[in-house]
Structures are given as C-alpha cells and as structure tokens.
Amino acid sequence: MGMSVGSDSTHEDEGIVDINTTPLIDVMLVLLIMLIITIPLQTHSVAIDLPQGNPPPSTEQPKLVTVSIGYDNSISWNSEPVTSEAALQAHFEAAAAEGDQPEVHIHPDRLSDYKTVAHVMADAQRLGVTKLGIVGLDQFMEGQ
C-alpha cells in the first residue's frame, strides 16, 4: 500500500520523499470503528411523561429567617442578637423541627471572618436545616 520498491535513480544515498500514510489510515480506521460503535448507543431513548404547562404559582409565601453576621463576627437571628453558641443551635434546631422549614438566609458582612460564616453554615447543616442560602453577595463585587 504505502511501500515504494526500487527507484528511478541510480544513487542509493537519496532518501525516500514519499509520505508515509500508514499511520493516517490507522487513525482514520480507529475513528471510524469508534463512530460505528457509539452511534447505536445514542439512538436509545427512555419515554418519560413530563408535566405539561406551567405549575400554578404558590399562594403561600415561605417563612424567612435571616441570620446576619456582622463585621465583628456578631450573629443575629431576625435582628435579635444571639449571645451564645447554644442559643444559635437552639434556633437552628427549632427551625429544623418545624413541619414546613423556613428558608434560612445567611447575610454575612464583607468584613466578617470566613471561619464564622462557615461555622454557622456547618451548624445549620448538622442540625437538619435544608433550606439554606447566602444572600447579600453584591457587596463582594468589584468596584463597590
């Protein structure tokens, strides 16, 4: 296929200037085989009955709890200062025990320590709070 036998010249020092196409053909065959193998896998589908239309809007507004962390790492629960770790854990346990858990929004100050924010989030997760989010991140954007 890609082999040249003999040459027109009489000099044996001349190199072969033909392009070796064997590696190119090998790579193309491997790609063709991979394509042939993977195409049938893509044609299988699973029938799923998806809901049609938009769901009706919720009539109830979710309960919100705001946990603020100040610049001096002070913690407040709905604008009421939390004085101890036990009090914070009691608030989280009470929120997790409710049938319909409130949304807990953590609002850290830009100057608060990461350690404090991570500790509050870890306590919330450990005590069973599932609806948890961080709000007020616009203060961390550049230029503000």
Side-chain angles (χ1 to χ4, degrees), residues 54-122:
N54 294 330
S58 176
T59 57
E60 283 186 30
Q61 292 295 327
K63 291 187 273 182
L64 295 178
V65 172
T66 303
V67 178
S68 299
I69 302 173
Y71 67 92
D72 57 350
N73 297 321
S74 61
I75 301 171
S76 62
W77 183 277
N78 284 338
S79 301
E80 296 176 9
V82 176
T83 56
S84 68
E85 177 71 21
L88 179 65
Q89 290 180 3
H91 282 299
F92 280 135
E93 286 174 349
E98 290 184 30
D100 185 24
Q101 281 192 11
E103 291 182 10
V104 178
H105 293 179
I106 297 178
H107 190 277
D109 188 82
R110 184 178 191 148
L111 301 175
S112 63
D113 290 340
Y114 175 76
K115 180 177 119 179
T116 305
V117 177
H119 182 73
V120 168
M121 290 174 57

Side-chain angles (χ1 to χ4, degrees), residues 6-85:
S7 66
D8 296 345
S9 66
T10 60
H11 301 291
E12 293 203 15
D13 292 340
E14 290 182 17
I16 300 173
V17 293
D18 294 342
I19 296 175
N20 187 4
T21 58
T22 304
L24 177 67
I25 293 170
D26 290 345
V27 169
M28 293 302 291
L29 286 174
V30 168
L31 289 175
L32 180 65
I33 290 170
M34 288 175 60
L35 184 69
I36 290 171
I37 290 172
T38 58
I39 284 179
L41 295 177
Q42 296 174 358
T43 59
H44 296 291
S45 61
V46 177
I48 298 176
D49 294 328
L50 296 175
Q52 300 296 321
N54 294 330
S58 176
T59 57
E60 283 186 30
Q61 292 295 327
K63 291 187 273 182
L64 295 178
V65 172
T66 303
V67 178
S68 299
I69 302 173
Y71 67 92
D72 57 350
N73 297 321
S74 61
I75 301 171
S76 62
W77 183 277
N78 284 338
S79 301
E80 296 176 9
V82 176
T83 56
S84 68
E85 177 71 21

